[in-house]
Amino acid sequence: MLGGGFFFSKELTMSRPTPDRSGQHDAHRSMQTSKRVALVAHDNRKKDLIEWVEWNWSALLDHQLICTGTTGSLVEQALAKKLGKESEKKIAVRKLKSGPLGGDQQLGALIADGEIDVLIFLWDPMEPQPHDVDVKALLRIAVLYNVPTACNRSTADFMISSNLFTTEYSPILVDYSSYMRRDVKGVRDTGD
């Protein structure tokens, strides 16, 4: 057992991020003081997310916001309303596709590439979604890469009010290099 109740096999170890020497993109870099915050909400939870954004708007302005689908437009409108027409501060919300149209997968790819620091995903536990498998995959990738994830407003409140939200932070990550080098039964390495 390794701190926090985590169990690992012999092949997997917990470690601080180290540079990838293989020439591939290093997805395991430290979080800067300005976080890359993904905001996602299913239709029945968009109102909750927008209320949360309106409540926390001043804190969110210091971070890069990435959203799926119409959530991005709603977040942008809410922030513009809070800032007012006279503000010189520019609101930049990166908008991906709608979740069912591939936005959840785009977000998962950003997480895997180390381009998301925090995920606030207010998903609807009472309604089946046409893209439930994508939702599950997104949450799995967030856990795999140890991305702080809030699935309800209370957790989002705890996250944004944490001192870690505005300071540099190096998450402890699992080293999956042995998994990537594993032998697959029935497949021979041809050396190509």
Side-chain angles (χ1 to χ4, degrees):
M1 182 152 96
L2 187 66
F6 293 102
F7 291 90
F8 294 94
S9 67
K10 291 178 192 172
E11 293 84 29
L12 299 179
T13 59
M14 292 292 282
S15 65
R16 292 279 177 193
T18 55
D20 181 2
R21 305 290 184 216
S22 68
Q24 296 177 345
H25 176 69
D26 180 16
H28 308 294
R29 60 189 190 95
S30 297
M31 295 179 197
Q32 304 304 308
T33 56
S34 176
K35 306 291 186 280
R36 294 159 303 175
V37 180
L39 300 171
V40 185
H42 286 158
D43 287 349
N44 289 342
R45 302 296 312 279
K46 286 188 190 327
K47 182 180 180 224
D48 286 338
L49 181 65
I50 298 308
E51 286 175 0
W52 184 85
V53 166
E54 290 171 344
W55 182 261
N56 295 289
W57 70 276
S58 60
L60 289 170
L61 289 178
D62 295 330
H63 304 282
Q64 300 169 45
L65 305 179
I66 302 98
C67 302
T68 56
T70 54
T71 302
S73 297
L74 294 170
V75 166
E76 210 167 44
Q77 291 168 15
L79 291 174
K81 182 179 172 184
K82 285 295 187 180
L83 280 172
K85 294 178 183 175
E86 310 305 317
S87 176
E88 293 183 19
K89 187 142 183 143
K90 184 165 173 17
I91 302 163
V93 175
R94 180 176 175 188
K95 290 176 256 188
L96 307 175
K97 294 184 180 204
S98 174
L101 300 177
D104 293 336
Q105 292 182 350
Q106 286 179 305
L107 193 51
L110 290 173
I111 290 171
D113 286 342
E115 296 179 31
I116 299 293
D117 297 317
V118 173
L119 172 62
I120 297 171
F121 183 8
L122 302 187
W123 59 277
D124 186 353
M126 300 303 286
E127 286 288 323
Q129 302 294 322
H131 61 301
D132 272 340
V133 294
D134 298 336
V135 170
K136 183 177 180 181
L138 175 58
L139 293 171
R140 179 187 167 279
I141 283 292
V143 170
L144 185 73
Y145 288 98
N146 200 19
V147 172
T149 303
C151 293
N152 58 53
R153 285 178 69 167
S154 296
T155 307
D157 287 340
F158 272 84
M159 283 174 43
I160 201 166
S161 62
S162 168
N163 291 337
L164 297 176
F165 203 80
T166 56
T167 60
E168 289 186 17
Y169 178 72
S170 295
I172 295 174
L173 301 171
V174 175
D175 178 4
Y176 291 105
S177 59
S178 62
Y179 178 81
M180 295 299 293
R181 293 187 311 269
R182 75 193 183 287
D183 288 329
V184 179
K185 251 186 181 176
V187 178
R188 259 185 15 176
D189 184 7
T190 60
D192 293 336

